[in-house]
Amino acid sequence: MKTKTIYACQNCGATSPRWAGKCPSCGEWNTMTEETQVKQSAATSRRVLTENRTNTRQKPILLTEVEQDNQERIMTGIAELDRTLGGGIMRGSITLVGGDPGIGKSTLMLQMCANLAAVQPLYVTGEESLQQIKSRASRLSLDFSGLRVLAETNADEIVEAMRRDDVGLVIADSIQTMFRPDIESAPGSVAQVRECSALLMQAAKTLNKAVFLVGHVTKEGSIAGPKVLEHIVDTVLQFEGERIYSYRILRAAKNRYGSTNEIGVFEMSEDGLREVTNPSEVFLSQRNAGESGTAVVAAMEGSRPILVEVQALVTPSSYNVPQRSATGLDYRRLQMIIAVLEKRLGLALGKHDVFVNIAGGLRLDDPAVDLGVAAAIVSSFRDVAIQADTALIGEIGLTGEVRAVVSIEQRVNEAQKLGFSSILLPEANMKRFSRETSPHLKPADRILQALLSVVGE
Ligand code: TYD
Ligand code: MG
C-alpha cells in the first residue's frame, strides 16, 4: 500500500504537502499536523465491506428500473427526536450527533435505543465502559431489552459487528475514539475521523442499516476534526444548550431526508432527557416581566411557534467605540436594528453600549423578532418597562417600516394561548384577522408608531 505524508488542519480538514504555522485554508494557527495518507483507502474500505461477497461490480442501470426507496422510517417514539430527524430514522442512513462534551449526547442515544427492540440496536462505546453504560441505563429506567452493547474502537470490527443479522441500527460513541488500523494517525485526527466515518457510511448504505455517529464539538462550535464529516453524513444533528440551564435543543444542521428548520426541545432531569412539548412555557418561565429592557417575541422554530423573552441592556459607554453584543441572534441584524433606531427614531445610541440576549440560550434566525429586539433596546434606553401582557411580532425594514412576516396565525395563536392580551403585529399581516373581533391585535406599519404604543411615555 502506498503511503504519503501530508499535513492536515485539525480545524477545517484542509490538507497541504508542506507544514505551515497558519492553515492556508481557514487561517487558524498551529492546527496543521502530520498525517499519513493512505492512497488506497477507498479500495481497502471496499475490501472490508465486500469480503465474503462476490460480483460487487456495479453496472449502469436505467433510472426507471431503480427500486423506489420505500421510505420506511424507524420511529423512535421520542417525538422531539423523530421530528428533528424529519419523521423518524431512515434505514441505510448515517447521522452525526454533535455537541459539547457533557451536553447529553450519549444519554439521548441510549434513550433512543429504548423500545427499539424490534430494530435490534447495537451501542458501540469507545469512551465509556460497558458498566458505565449499564449504570446510565438503570438511571433512565426504560425498557432496554434487545439492546446490544460493544466496547470497541476499531472501525473495521464495528463493520464486522454490523454485518450480523441481529443488528439493525448502530451507534458509534464517539467517532473521535474510533480508528482504522490501516491509518497511522491517532484516533481523533482528521484522517481517522474521515476514514472511519467514510467506512461506516459505506457500511450503512450497503447493509441498509442506520448508523449514528456521536461527535464532540470544539470550543469554536465546529464538529471536531472537521467539516469533512458534515459532507460525508446524511444528517447532522446538533445538541445544544447552556450548561447552567437544564434544557437542551436538538437542531438539524443538515438533513438529506427532511427539513433543517425543526428543533427538538428536551430537559435534562435526574432520570434522563424529558421531552418539552410546550417550549414557550419553558422559555418564558424565568421571565423578568415588569423590568425595563425585556420584550416577548413570537418566533418560529421550524413548524412551531415559540414565545421567547428578548433582553437588552443599554448603558453609557466608557469607550470611544461603543460595544454591541448579540447573544442568540445575528450580530449584523442587531447593528441594522440599532442603525434604524438611530436614524428613524433619532435615538442617540452612539455613546451607549448595547447588549442583546435571547433568554434561555435559544438562537433565533427569524426576522420577525426584530420588532421585539427594537422594543427591548428602547425600553432599556428609556428605562420604561413594556407591559407584561404584550407580545411583539414584526420584521424591521431599513426605512423604519414594519414588514409582514410568515406564519402569522400560528404566532398569534401561540401568544393568545399563553395569555398575551396585547399583540403587536405588522399592518400588512392584519388582513388575516377581523379588526372588530380582535381588539387585542395592534397593527403597525411604522416602527415609530409600534414602539410609541409599547414604550412611549
Ligand atoms: P452525557 O449523555 O454523558 O453527555 P455527552 O455524551 O454529550 O458527553 O450526559 C452528561 C451529563 O448529563 C452529565 O453531567 C450527567 C447528566 N445526566 C443527568 O443529569 N441525568 C441523567 O439522567 C443522565 C443520564 C445524565
Ligand atoms: Mg458521551
Side-chain angles (χ1 to χ4, degrees):
M1 197 182 307
K2 213 162 110 192
T3 61
K4 185 169 96 174
T5 299
I6 53 155
Y7 295 89
C9 172
Q10 302 299 307
N11 182 52
C12 69
T15 56
S16 146
R18 270 175 300 281
W19 185 83
K22 186 182 178 189
C23 170
S25 175
C26 68
E28 281 290 309
W29 285 93
N30 299 325
T31 53
M32 303 295 285
T33 59
E34 186 178 327
E35 287 189 352
T36 312
Q37 194 179 40
V38 183
K39 272 297 198 199
Q40 271 120 30
S41 64
T44 45
S45 31
R46 204 171 308 128
R47 196 195 65 225
V48 173
L49 287 166
T50 55
E51 270 165 28
N52 315 327
R53 282 165 168 250
T54 51
N55 195 13
T56 53
R57 183 171 299 154
Q58 297 284 325
K59 287 193 287 290
I61 55 167
L62 288 170
L63 182 61
T64 48
E65 283 168 11
V66 176
E67 274 176 51
Q68 187 90 39
D69 228 340
N70 58 7
Q71 299 288 321
E72 189 204 337
R73 304 247 192 172
I74 304 161
M75 300 307 278
T76 67
I78 306 173
E80 298 292 307
L81 174 61
D82 286 335
R83 191 184 46 246
T84 313
L85 283 166
I89 307 167
M90 192 72 145
R91 280 182 207 279
S93 72
I94 183 159
T95 304
L96 173 67
V97 180
D100 287 322
I103 208 75
K105 301 180 294 298
S106 303
T107 308
L108 179 68
M109 289 294 96
L110 197 58
Q111 277 183 240
M112 181 178 83
C113 293
N115 308 316
L116 275 191
V119 189
Q120 299 180 300
L122 168 68
Y123 195 111
V124 184
T125 171
E127 285 195 355
E128 293 165 306
S129 66
L130 298 183
Q131 287 68 33
Q132 282 171 306
I133 306 253
K134 175 85 181 176
S135 74
R136 178 180 290 129
S138 26
R139 192 170 168 182
L140 302 175
S141 45
L142 294 166
D143 174 16
F144 286 110
S145 53
L147 172 62
R148 284 188 171 73
V149 285
L150 172 70
E152 180 61 77
T153 52
N154 182 337
D156 295 358
E157 293 299 326
I158 299 171
V159 172
E160 216 39 60
M162 270 179 82
R163 261 202 265 208
R164 292 169 56 126
D165 289 337
D166 56 8
V167 168
L169 174 124
V170 175
I171 291 139
D173 186 0
S174 67
I175 190 65
Q176 277 107 344
T177 58
M178 306 295 166
F179 75 100
R180 295 202 55 200
D182 298 5
I183 293 158
E184 279 170 24
S185 324
S189 63
V190 173
Q192 286 288 10
V193 166
R194 183 180 48 219
E195 291 300 320
C196 291
S197 312
L199 178 69
L200 291 169
M201 196 269 294
Q202 290 180 47
K205 306 287 168 203
T206 33
L207 304 169
N208 198 29
K209 294 178 179 179
V211 172
F212 281 78
L213 306 177
V214 173
H216 296 298
V217 159
T218 59
K219 57 182 183 317
E220 290 80 24
S222 69
I223 287 175
K227 288 278 168 211
V228 285
L229 241 180
E230 296 183 16
H231 302 305
I232 294 173
V233 299
D234 298 315
T235 303
V236 178
L237 300 183
Q238 277 283 8
F239 209 28
E240 301 170 351
E242 302 285 325
R243 284 264 191 151
I244 44 168
Y245 299 109
S246 59
Y247 37 88
R248 304 277 179 266
I249 293 158
L250 189 67
R251 195 183 287 281
K254 166 183 177 179
N255 195 349
R256 222 164 251 170
Y257 306 116
S259 131
T260 51
N261 293 324
E262 298 294 347
I263 63 164
V265 185
F266 297 89
E267 196 174 352
M268 183 61 95
S269 70
E270 274 311 298
D271 49 359
L273 290 159
R274 270 194 220 133
E275 296 183 67
V276 174
T277 39
N278 190 342
S280 300
E281 271 169 18
V282 178
F283 291 116
L284 291 182
S285 64
Q286 293 170 12
R287 228 184 117 195
N288 308 293
E291 298 277 338
S292 67
T294 86
V296 172
V297 297
M300 292 299 290
E301 274 288 3
S303 55
R304 270 197 307 185
I306 298 188
L307 267 74
V308 197
E309 183 189 45
V310 177
Q311 303 178 333
L313 183 64
V314 180
T315 54
S317 180
S318 39
Y319 300 99
N320 278 341
V321 181
Q323 295 183 72
R324 274 85 179 87
S325 152
T327 311
L329 77 159
D330 184 38
Y331 181 71
R332 272 166 304 177
R333 196 89 203 157
L334 173 63
Q335 286 182 310
M336 187 280 276
I337 295 170
I338 292 173
V340 171
L341 289 175
E342 287 179 321
K343 178 89 178 170
R344 308 289 166 194
L345 267 68
L347 221 59
L349 293 168
K351 293 201 163 55
H352 284 78
D353 293 336
V354 179
F355 304 94
V356 176
N357 176 35
I358 305 294
L362 206 66
R363 199 185 69 220
L364 299 176
D365 289 320
D366 180 353
V369 307
D370 289 355
L371 194 57
V373 171
I377 293 173
V378 177
S379 162
S380 176
F381 184 72
R382 293 213 177 143
D383 203 15
V384 177
I386 297 172
Q387 288 286 316
D389 62 354
T390 302
L392 295 105
I393 305 166
E395 179 181 346
I396 294 177
L398 293 181
T399 70
E401 81 272 26
V402 177
R403 303 171 66 102
V405 301
V406 297
S407 314
I408 188 68
E409 284 106 332
Q410 279 172 283
R411 299 177 199 261
V412 166
N413 283 343
E414 181 75 1
Q416 285 170 345
K417 209 167 75 190
L418 286 156
F420 287 87
S421 51
S422 173
I423 303 169
L424 261 89
L425 75 167
E427 175 73 57
N429 278 133
M430 201 52 203
K431 52 183 177 294
R432 303 272 186 148
F433 305 96
S434 137
R435 283 175 208 265
E436 290 72 48
T437 60
S438 325
H440 59 296
L441 299 184
K442 312 271 160 55
D445 62 357
R446 305 294 304 169
I447 161 174
L448 179 63
Q449 167 199 4
L451 295 185
L452 274 177
S453 76
V454 284
V455 280
E457 280 96 334

